Amino acid sequence: MERTLRQRIKTIKEIKNQHGMSIPQIQDIVAEHGGYVSPRTMYDIFAEGS
């Protein structure tokens, strides 16, 4: 399970970097696919050194 979570985080970071999307835009995409990522989680993902 941890590997899946790490892969998801890596994918989210790649999307943001490659497509220049904002955090709210990424959250919207996740929601469109039936998921949810809290604002706090997004902050943690993109925190310096994460």
Side-chain angles (χ1 to χ4, degrees):
M1 180 162 165
E2 185 175 326
R3 184 177 298 203
T4 302
L5 179 58
R6 287 179 190 221
Q7 184 60 40
R8 288 180 185 172
I9 291 170
K10 182 179 175 185
T11 300
I12 289 170
K13 286 184 174 187
E14 288 173 356
I15 289 170
K16 185 174 188 308
N17 291 334
Q18 290 177 0
H19 300 285
M21 299 180 112
S22 67
I23 289 173
Q25 288 173 318
I26 294 170
Q27 288 177 297
D28 289 344
I29 290 172
V30 171
E32 287 174 9
H33 289 89
Y36 174 77
V37 180
S38 74
R40 177 63 193 186
T41 299
M42 294 298 285
Y43 172 80
D44 290 345
I45 289 171
F46 295 107
E48 190 172 324
S50 67

